[in-house]
Coordinates of all heavy atoms in Angstrom, one line a residue:
P70 N 79.7 -67.3 169.8 CA 80.6 -66.2 170.1 C 79.9 -64.8 170.3 O 80.5 -64.0 170.9 CB 81.5 -66.2 168.8 CG 80.8 -66.9 167.8 CD 79.9 -67.9 168.5
H71 N 78.7 -64.7 169.8 CA 78.0 -63.4 170.0 C 76.8 -63.6 171.0 O 75.8 -62.8 170.9 CB 77.4 -62.9 168.7 CG 78.4 -62.5 167.7 ND1 78.2 -62.1 166.5 CD2 79.8 -62.3 167.9 CE1 79.3 -61.7 165.9 NE2 80.3 -61.9 166.7
K72 N 77.0 -64.5 171.9 CA 75.8 -64.9 172.8 C 75.3 -63.7 173.6 O 74.1 -63.7 173.9 CB 76.3 -66.0 173.7 CG 77.4 -65.6 174.7 CD 77.8 -66.8 175.5 CE 79.1 -66.4 176.2 NZ 79.9 -67.6 176.5
N73 N 76.0 -62.7 173.9 CA 75.5 -61.6 174.7 C 75.0 -60.5 173.9 O 74.4 -59.6 174.5 CB 76.7 -61.1 175.7 CG 77.1 -62.2 176.6 OD1 76.3 -62.9 177.1 ND2 78.4 -62.3 176.9
K74 N 75.2 -60.5 172.6 CA 74.7 -59.3 171.9 C 73.7 -59.7 170.8 O 72.7 -58.9 170.7 CB 75.9 -58.7 171.2 CG 76.9 -58.1 172.2 CD 77.9 -57.1 171.5 CE 78.7 -57.8 170.5 NZ 79.8 -56.9 170.0
F75 N 73.9 -60.7 170.1 CA 73.1 -60.9 168.9 C 72.4 -62.3 168.8 O 72.1 -62.7 167.7 CB 73.9 -60.7 167.6 CG 74.6 -59.3 167.6 CD1 76.0 -59.2 167.7 CD2 73.9 -58.2 167.5 CE1 76.6 -58.0 167.7 CE2 74.5 -56.9 167.5 CZ 75.8 -56.8 167.6
C76 N 72.2 -62.9 169.9 CA 71.6 -64.2 169.8 C 70.4 -64.3 170.8 O 70.3 -63.7 171.8 CB 72.5 -65.3 170.3 SG 73.9 -65.5 169.1
F77 N 69.4 -65.0 170.3 CA 68.1 -65.1 171.0 C 67.6 -66.5 171.1 O 67.8 -67.3 170.2 CB 67.0 -64.2 170.3 CG 67.3 -62.8 170.3 CD1 68.0 -62.2 169.2 CD2 67.0 -62.0 171.4 CE1 68.3 -60.9 169.2 CE2 67.3 -60.6 171.3 CZ 67.9 -60.1 170.2
D78 N 66.9 -66.8 172.2 CA 66.2 -68.0 172.3 C 64.9 -68.0 171.5 O 64.1 -67.1 171.6 CB 65.8 -68.2 173.8 CG 65.2 -69.6 174.1 OD1 64.6 -70.2 173.2 OD2 65.2 -70.0 175.3
F79 N 64.8 -68.9 170.6 CA 63.7 -69.0 169.6 C 62.3 -69.0 170.3 O 61.4 -68.5 169.8 CB 63.9 -70.4 168.9 CG 63.0 -70.5 167.7 CD1 63.4 -70.0 166.5 CD2 61.9 -71.3 167.7 CE1 62.6 -70.1 165.4 CE2 61.1 -71.5 166.6 CZ 61.5 -70.9 165.4
N80 N 62.3 -69.4 171.6 CA 61.0 -69.6 172.3 C 60.6 -68.3 173.1 O 59.5 -68.3 173.7 CB 61.1 -70.8 173.3 CG 61.3 -72.1 172.5 OD1 60.6 -72.4 171.6 ND2 62.4 -72.7 172.9
K81 N 61.4 -67.3 173.0 CA 61.0 -66.1 173.8 C 60.4 -65.0 173.0 O 60.9 -64.7 171.9 CB 62.3 -65.6 174.6 CG 62.7 -66.7 175.6 CD 63.8 -66.2 176.5 CE 64.1 -67.3 177.5 NZ 65.3 -67.0 178.2
K82 N 59.5 -64.3 173.5 CA 58.8 -63.3 172.8 C 59.7 -62.1 172.4 O 59.6 -61.5 171.4 CB 57.6 -62.7 173.7 CG 56.8 -61.7 173.0 CD 55.6 -61.3 173.9 CE 54.8 -60.2 173.2 NZ 53.7 -59.7 174.0
E83 N 60.7 -61.8 173.3 CA 61.7 -60.7 173.0 C 62.4 -61.0 171.6 O 62.7 -60.1 170.9 CB 62.6 -60.5 174.1 CG 63.6 -61.7 174.3 CD 64.5 -61.6 175.5 OE1 64.1 -60.9 176.5 OE2 65.6 -62.2 175.5
C84 N 62.6 -62.2 171.3 CA 63.2 -62.6 170.1 C 62.4 -62.1 168.9 O 62.9 -61.5 168.0 CB 63.4 -64.1 170.0 SG 63.8 -64.8 168.4
W85 N 61.1 -62.5 168.9 CA 60.3 -62.1 167.8 C 60.0 -60.6 167.7 O 59.9 -60.0 166.6 CB 58.9 -62.9 167.9 CG 59.2 -64.3 167.8 CD1 59.1 -65.2 168.8 CD2 59.7 -65.1 166.7 NE1 59.6 -66.5 168.4 CE2 59.9 -66.4 167.1 CE3 60.1 -64.7 165.4 CZ2 60.4 -67.4 166.2 CZ3 60.6 -65.7 164.5 CH2 60.7 -67.0 165.0
N86 N 59.9 -60.0 168.9 CA 59.7 -58.5 168.9 C 60.9 -57.8 168.2 O 60.8 -56.8 167.5 CB 59.5 -58.0 170.3 CG 58.2 -58.4 170.9 OD1 57.3 -58.8 170.1 ND2 58.1 -58.4 172.2
F87 N 62.1 -58.3 168.5 CA 63.3 -57.7 168.0 C 63.5 -57.9 166.5 O 63.7 -57.0 165.8 CB 64.6 -58.2 168.7 CG 65.8 -57.6 168.3 CD1 66.2 -56.4 168.7 CD2 66.7 -58.3 167.4 CE1 67.4 -55.8 168.3 CE2 67.8 -57.7 166.9 CZ 68.2 -56.4 167.4
I88 N 63.3 -59.1 166.0 CA 63.6 -59.4 164.6 C 62.6 -58.8 163.7 O 62.8 -58.6 162.5 CB 63.8 -60.9 164.3 CG1 62.6 -61.7 164.6 CG2 65.0 -61.5 165.0 CD1 62.6 -63.1 164.1

Side-chain angles (χ1 to χ4, degrees):
H71 290 176
K72 63 185 168 209
N73 296 322
K74 297 196 294 187
F75 304 111
C76 293
F77 296 95
D78 184 337
F79 193 79
N80 298 306
K81 295 189 177 171
K82 186 177 180 182
E83 67 188 27
C84 168
W85 299 109
N86 290 340
F87 181 79
I88 64 170

